[in-house]
Amino acid sequence: MKLDCFNTPEPGAVKLTDQVLSVRVEKCLTSTIPAAIKKACESGRIDALDLKNQSVKREYFYDSDTAKILEGIAYALKIRPDAELLQTFQSWVDKIAACQQPDGYLNSYISGAAPEDRWKHLNNLHELYCAGHLIEAAVAGKELPGGEKLLAAVCRYADYIDSVFGLEAGKRRGWPGHEEIELALVKLYRATGNERYLRLASYFIDDRGTEPCVFPSDEWNFEGLKVIRQADKPVREQVDAHGHAVRAVYLYTGMAETACENGDTELRQQCEKLFRSICSKRMYITGGIGSTFYYEAFTRDYDLTNSSLMYAESCAAMGLVQLALRLFNLTGKAEYLEVLETAVYNGVLSGISLAGNTFFYSNYLEVDSNSSFYNFGAAERQPWFSCPCCPTSFSRFLPQLGSFIYSTAPGHLYVNMFAANQAELQVGELPVKLEISGNYPYDGNISIILQSSGDFTLHLRIPQWCKNSSVKLNGQACDPVIRRSWQAGDVIDIELDMPVEVLFANQQVTSNLGRVALKRGPLVYALEEIDQSCPVRELLIVKDQKFELKPAPGLPAGTVAICGKACREILPSDELYFSAQAQYEATTFCAVPYALWGNRTPGNMCVWNRYK
Amino acid sequence: MKLDCFNTPEPGAVKLTDQVLSVRVEKCLTSTIPAAIKKACESGRIDALDLKNQSVKREYFYDSDTAKILEGIAYALKIRPDAELLQTFQSWVDKIAACQQPDGYLNSYISGAAPEDRWKHLNNLHELYCAGHLIEAAVAGKELPGGEKLLAAVCRYADYIDSVFGLEAGKRRGWPGHEEIELALVKLYRATGNERYLRLASYFIDDRGTEPCVFPSDEWNFEGLKVIRQADKPVREQVDAHGHAVRAVYLYTGMAETACENGDTELRQQCEKLFRSICSKRMYITGGIGSTFYYEAFTRDYDLTNSSLMYAESCAAMGLVQLALRLFNLTGKAEYLEVLETAVYNGVLSGISLAGNTFFYSNYLEVDSNSSFYNFGAAERQPWFSCPCCPTSFSRFLPQLGSFIYSTAPGHLYVNMFAANQAELQVGELPVKLEISGNYPYDGNISIILQSSGDFTLHLRIPQWCKNSSVKLNGQACDPVIRRSWQAGDVIDIELDMPVEVLFANQQVTSNLGRVALKRGPLVYALEEIDQSCPVRELLIVKDQKFELKPAPGLPAGTVAICGKACREILPSDELYFSAQAQYEATTFCAVPYALWGNRTPGNMCVWNRYK
């Protein structure tokens, strides 16, 4: 029997009106997605779908980019109709469908450039990964005109994949080298009701990591590569989150989804355990994950270096949000929303410029003039990468931001975050209209006005960072969980105390010894060189003081900066190592939200600063 | 015309009698080399030389290990005759010679396992690298009984290589993917007088990095791989030390050697420039180099992380010593000896246990319980590695330690370091006998007694770390440079003030912000968990204090520990990030020489500790 699980609203059901998230959604629609479409065309990704075209270059990951943009287009069209965008959707769908082989196989790289390699290099060639993204795009666009064609194509493809892989006679064992198809197949099962897809997802998950390994054992570092691909042990026996961070969270999301549909409480608990491994020992304060450029991977507990070869890939933070949302919907535990909100407001949004058209591949917590490997060697966000997974991930992620605000179940409405919005939701069978207003996350005063009537329980999440809060219903103090017969016009006023927090890291995070980070509400702050009177690296923040909140210069109106007293350490030498008397002088500092750094004059930045 | 260049004595000419280096040489002879011989045999490296043996596994780097051990054996035999060891030398020489092809080619992997790959994969297959090590072994053993056979074999091989590579008609262009043969060919030129070998070395150096690149441009990250192999630009145009650290210092050593023999002052200056790039911006305080596990490479200026994915490969530190020695001998600038001495006493010796039979591949400056990738995942030094470059490098490096003490030129004798020893040297044509006594590097009082007579200038190096020193000749104060007609029995007394230094790193090394390292004389100190009353990570060293010197518990007699006041920071939370009031309490610390860490109960260690 299926596990109980909350629902997440469709993109378009929640219209953001806040100062932070709504801007990002709008830029996604007007800048990120159009730019991604242009780049996909210019780079030959669309031409590559035409198998008769022999002159175009093909790469094994091209179809995943195309599919991710297509998924983003589908969400964008749900938010706001756009005839030209719909035409792009339909034209891409036609080209994808035309690329499909008679037996259902669908991959422009293999069919166009290396037909002899079909299913030969599961560990590297991303066929099942690309298939997963095509499926996600098809499910996202299934109600759009022309969407049925893509859905039919991916069903044929999934049927074919199911005829190839499995433990049954006549099939072969196989797992994706890059997980993704598992969660996609559960979406396809939900969209079609065809249990075959759920069974296939369950096969990919439960066979993974069993012996013998399906990946080639003659690779140089076979044991290491199994770890990187989460194939070192059966997934139910894995004790910590490891390997390639994006793959890990995609896998765990697929596990959560199959656990839900299969009524598999053991697998759900295993997902929770792996999630705890991340958020209690392997996650940056921003919600970034994956401590190293090397295989874009998790390393070990408390290894959370702020620069050098750190990683915190934008895509991994987005994947962590999706995982956290599934786990909240499956368990109702607010701890998952803490991580979701942290990752959304910090580790995800840092990856994209305010203009919506340039990206950080990896999200450093400290950038000094000589930081190495920083954003693949570039000192600023870039419009595109040879493997452009972040632009295409943002294209499909940002239109979903509004959906994260609420979860629903029959008789229950959960407010996960307080970003201002207007929403039209389904609480079970009951249509519910409501509006949230206020300046969250810069201000803790929030109002919710019901715009429709009906019986249900409203669950307001009081964030863990908030130590003092009050909730009033129509002026009367009440609990954050309110069961009642709601009337249109009911007003809830919430006050979340939102002081500046001075946070330490666990001392086992040795790179943060002697350093603190500033946080206010869900926002992690950073010191950017442009806001200081001396190099960031010379500053020590005075720990015990009353901080001032000020408008952040040169950032969008409403952005709150944290300012205060600091101490400057002056070491009078340019040598690499030297003996000296350090000089100290009193000065000030000004910190801005981490997610907004790098949107003004380029310069150094630091989240974990020394304290005094 | 050849550039002026000092000479370095042969192994065996300087008998170390000090408490630090002599122990390491002795252990090398009685433990490191015998263990390496055993492992080389057990692993099939010697059997692999028998091309008729089809059952043995062959690897493309096997011959380099065999050759490096053989070079070590040759030096060991110069230090102390040993009939059994000589027999091993001769038997290995016979097997190597028997592996040689009729045309002179000599590589057990290619000839035995992949003849079709000869010279096909210069970027990866290490043929020229292995050739270089065979040549170095042959030059080292050329005076031993049987050594002439190996010398003849490598001359035939080098003649053949010279017939293949070059710019002349009938030859092909090519460069080693791993530099080494350049410096070896200059040694072979000096051993034989055959200018062909010098010309070939010069070709490899001057063609390197020119267009078109000889490495395959279809590799995934072609530009990056050129950087890793120092083939991104002609070597004379390279502006900083970059790429794989071992390859870099081997290349620069080859450049210094060819500059010397070709009278090429421009190339010598380029070596000096690249060396400055290392020691002024890219070198750990221990003399370790290569900041990242990723390609075992340099990264960028001031990127000197202490843990996470740092590297500081043992072999790279040994390579840096060889480079520094060449540059001192070529320029007479004592700055090179500063680096040499630092690297020898810290970043090199940390790589090998006091017992001489286990090794750190990479030399971390901070090890916490969860340090990642630490010594290839092992918490302690290991006896061998799948690529055992460090055990074999130590086998050939440690017997040379005595040689580093002196440099000579006609009429000049340079005392580079003050480790106690008895030496029989050639100063030009003049045989010179002398003895250095004292407890250096633990004590700054040194005596030198001349045991023969003659005219020459004695140059005593007063280390840069020493701010107060005195030199007395037969009781009379004098300069550290003494030209005179020496008499047997002349006594020089040197006093080097050796206080504990509290060193800062340049603030651009952001991982060391708020941290200091302790150094005394040439020795960098580290805090090991076993010597503290609380976890190392919780300790702050009180910066301004009078430190105490004590015997280091559990380490060899005479080892000096630095002890003093410290402050313990207690953060009462196990969470990953939290708000708290830190508690502080007064305590003490005890630091031991970094090179000796990890020789007692395994535990955490830190060189750069916080200060108060």
Side-chain angles (χ1 to χ4, degrees), chain A residues 127-154:
Chain A
E127 288 161 281
L128 292 170
Y129 172 76
C130 289
H133 278 302
L134 283 170
I135 293 169
E136 283 206 90
V139 173
K142 71 181 195 299
E143 285 117 12
L144 292 171
E148 71 291 346
K149 187 171 183 180
L150 186 58
L151 190 67
V154 302

Side-chain angles (χ1 to χ4, degrees), chain A residues 156-350:
Chain A
R156 274 186 65 210
Y157 189 15
D159 291 342
Y160 164 69
I161 293 171
D162 183 51
S163 76
V164 173
F165 295 103
L167 296 172
E168 298 92 337
K171 296 185 179 183
R172 56 171 283 197
R173 293 174 64 233
W175 323 317
H178 191 315
E179 303 92 318
E180 150 67 25
I181 195 169
E182 302 86 345
L183 72 92
L185 285 167
V186 181
K187 285 187 173 183
L188 189 60
Y189 158 65
R190 292 191 185 124
T192 62
N194 188 339
E195 293 192 353
R196 185 174 186 178
Y197 306 136
L198 175 60
R199 280 199 304 271
L200 182 58
S202 306
Y203 161 71
F204 281 134
I205 285 170
D206 277 323
D207 198 41
R208 187 173 204 87
T210 62
E211 291 294 336
C213 182
V214 305
F215 301 136
S217 61
D218 59 353
E219 293 227 13
W220 177 67
N221 180 9
F222 179 56
E223 291 307 316
L225 289 185
K226 285 200 290 182
V227 170
I228 292 300
R229 289 172 176 76
Q230 295 86 32
D232 51 318
K233 279 185 196 160
V235 299
R236 289 167 200 264
E237 295 171 23
Q238 297 184 13
V239 296
D240 53 30
H242 55 259
H244 188 273
V246 172
R247 296 172 202 220
V249 289
Y250 283 19
L251 169 65
Y252 307 156
T253 303
M255 288 161 62
E257 296 284 39
T258 55
C260 173
E261 298 300 336
N262 289 325
D264 188 338
T265 53
E266 180 198 88
L267 190 59
R268 181 186 66 191
Q269 280 164 15
Q270 174 66 359
C271 287
E272 292 197 87
K273 179 171 138 188
L274 293 170
F275 189 91
R276 267 195 306 279
S277 156
I278 297 174
C279 69
S280 69
K281 293 177 180 172
R282 299 184 174 204
M283 185 181 77
Y284 287 95
I285 194 171
T286 55
I289 54 173
S291 298
T292 174
F293 178 84
Y294 197 66
Y295 288 120
E296 310 180 316
F298 290 104
T299 57
R300 295 195 190 184
D301 288 349
Y302 303 111
D303 180 27
L304 292 160
T305 309
N306 297 308
S307 59
S308 192
L309 287 181
M310 80 154 280
Y311 214 56
E313 186 175 346
S314 298
C315 295
M318 290 184 251
L320 183 64
V321 168
Q322 298 287 5
L323 174 62
L325 181 65
R326 299 308 187 286
L327 289 176
F328 172 68
N329 283 348
L330 267 177
T331 65
K333 295 178 188 168
E335 63 196 82
Y336 295 112
L337 297 178
E338 297 297 325
V339 174
L340 182 150
E341 186 171 42
T342 296
V344 164
Y345 276 110
N346 302 288
V348 169
L349 291 187
S350 61

Side-chain angles (χ1 to χ4, degrees), chain A residues 54-73:
Chain A
Q54 292 299 313
S55 64
V56 69
K57 185 184 159 199
R58 293 181 163 88
E59 289 278 7
Y60 64 93
F61 49 83
Y62 271 13
D63 290 353
S64 69
D65 296 319
T66 307
K68 286 161 72 183
I69 300 168
L70 202 59
E71 184 184 349
I73 292 173

Side-chain angles (χ1 to χ4, degrees), chain B residues 485-506:
Chain B
S485 185
W486 296 92
Q487 300 300 318
D490 279 346
V491 175
I492 302 152
D493 290 301
I494 305 160
E495 283 185 36
L496 303 176
D497 195 18
M498 199 182 266
V500 175
E501 288 185 287
V502 179
L503 296 182
F504 290 93
N506 189 298

Side-chain angles (χ1 to χ4, degrees), chain B residues 289-476:
Chain B
I289 54 172
S291 297
T292 174
F293 179 85
Y294 197 67
Y295 288 119
E296 310 181 315
F298 290 103
T299 56
R300 295 195 190 183
D301 289 348
Y302 303 111
D303 180 25
L304 293 160
T305 309
N306 297 307
S307 59
S308 192
L309 287 181
M310 79 154 280
Y311 213 57
E313 185 176 347
S314 299
C315 295
M318 291 184 250
L320 183 64
V321 168
Q322 298 288 5
L323 173 61
L325 181 64
R326 297 309 187 286
L327 289 177
F328 172 68
N329 283 349
L330 268 177
T331 66
K333 296 178 188 168
E335 64 195 83
Y336 295 112
L337 297 178
E338 297 297 326
V339 174
L340 182 151
E341 186 171 41
T342 296
V344 164
Y345 275 111
N346 303 288
V348 169
L349 291 186
S350 61
I352 182 167
S353 62
L354 280 167
N357 57 0
T358 57
F359 308 89
F360 284 141
Y361 202 110
S362 46
N363 293 271
Y364 279 52
L365 267 68
E366 175 180 299
V367 169
D368 205 273
S369 35
N370 299 292
S371 291
S372 63
F373 288 94
Y374 170 50
N375 207 35
F376 284 66
E380 297 171 57
R381 292 182 183 86
Q382 297 297 305
W384 196 250
F385 301 89
S386 62
C387 172
C389 51
C390 30
T392 56
S393 288
F394 278 108
S395 294
R396 72 188 191 122
F397 182 87
L398 294 178
Q400 300 179 62
L401 280 176
S403 305
F404 302 148
I405 306 289
Y406 301 100
S407 291
T408 66
H412 297 272
L413 173 58
Y414 296 82
V415 181
N416 300 335
M417 299 197 288
F418 293 111
N421 70 85
Q422 295 174 329
E424 295 191 29
L425 307 168
Q426 285 294 128
V427 176
E429 299 297 308
L430 178 75
V432 173
K433 245 184 107 173
L434 77 168
E435 176 170 353
I436 299 185
S437 56
N439 262 335
Y440 192 86
Y442 293 122
D443 190 281
N445 294 305
I446 298 127
S447 285
I448 303 179
I449 302 180
L450 269 288
Q451 294 168 328
S452 63
S453 303
D455 285 357
F456 61 92
T457 305
L458 183 71
H459 303 252
L460 304 172
R461 166 179 160 259
I462 305 300
Q464 275 177 16
W465 50 257
C466 179
K467 306 291 182 271
N468 289 298
S469 64
S470 74
V471 179
K472 286 182 188 158
L473 171 60
N474 299 325
Q476 298 293 313

Side-chain angles (χ1 to χ4, degrees), chain B residues 145-363:
Chain B
E148 70 291 345
K149 188 172 181 180
L150 186 59
L151 190 67
V154 303
C155 283
R156 272 186 66 209
Y157 190 14
D159 291 342
Y160 163 69
I161 293 171
D162 183 52
S163 77
V164 173
F165 295 103
L167 295 174
E168 298 91 338
K171 297 185 179 184
R172 54 172 283 197
R173 293 173 65 234
W175 324 317
H178 191 316
E179 302 93 318
E180 150 67 25
I181 196 170
E182 302 86 345
L183 71 92
L185 285 167
V186 181
K187 284 188 174 185
L188 189 61
Y189 158 65
R190 290 189 187 128
T192 62
N194 188 339
E195 293 192 352
R196 185 173 184 178
Y197 306 135
L198 175 61
R199 279 198 305 270
L200 182 57
S202 306
Y203 161 71
F204 281 134
I205 286 171
D206 277 322
D207 198 40
R208 189 174 202 87
T210 62
E211 290 295 336
C213 182
V214 305
F215 301 137
S217 61
D218 58 354
E219 294 228 10
W220 178 66
N221 180 8
F222 179 56
E223 291 307 316
L225 289 185
K226 286 199 290 182
V227 170
I228 292 299
R229 290 173 177 75
Q230 295 84 33
D232 51 318
K233 279 184 196 161
V235 299
R236 289 167 200 263
E237 295 171 22
Q238 297 184 12
V239 295
D240 52 29
H242 55 258
H244 189 273
V246 172
R247 296 173 201 218
V249 287
Y250 282 19
L251 169 64
Y252 308 155
T253 304
M255 287 160 63
E257 297 284 39
T258 53
C260 172
E261 298 300 335
N262 289 326
D264 188 339
T265 53
E266 179 199 88
L267 190 60
R268 180 186 67 193
Q269 280 165 14
Q270 174 67 358
C271 287
E272 292 198 88
K273 178 169 136 187
L274 293 170
F275 188 92
R276 267 196 306 278
S277 157
I278 296 175
C279 69
S280 69
K281 292 177 180 173
R282 299 184 174 204
M283 184 182 78
Y284 288 95
I285 193 171
T286 56
I289 54 172
S291 297
T292 174
F293 179 85
Y294 197 67
Y295 288 119
E296 310 181 315
F298 290 103
T299 56
R300 295 195 190 183
D301 289 348
Y302 303 111
D303 180 25
L304 293 160
T305 309
N306 297 307
S307 59
S308 192
L309 287 181
M310 79 154 280
Y311 213 57
E313 185 176 347
S314 299
C315 295
M318 291 184 250
L320 183 64
V321 168
Q322 298 288 5
L323 173 61
L325 181 64
R326 297 309 187 286
L327 289 177
F328 172 68
N329 283 349
L330 268 177
T331 66
K333 296 178 188 168
E335 64 195 83
Y336 295 112
L337 297 178
E338 297 297 326
V339 174
L340 182 151
E341 186 171 41
T342 296
V344 164
Y345 275 111
N346 303 288
V348 169
L349 291 186
S350 61
I352 182 167
S353 62
L354 280 167
N357 57 0
T358 57
F359 308 89
F360 284 141
Y361 202 110
S362 46
N363 293 271

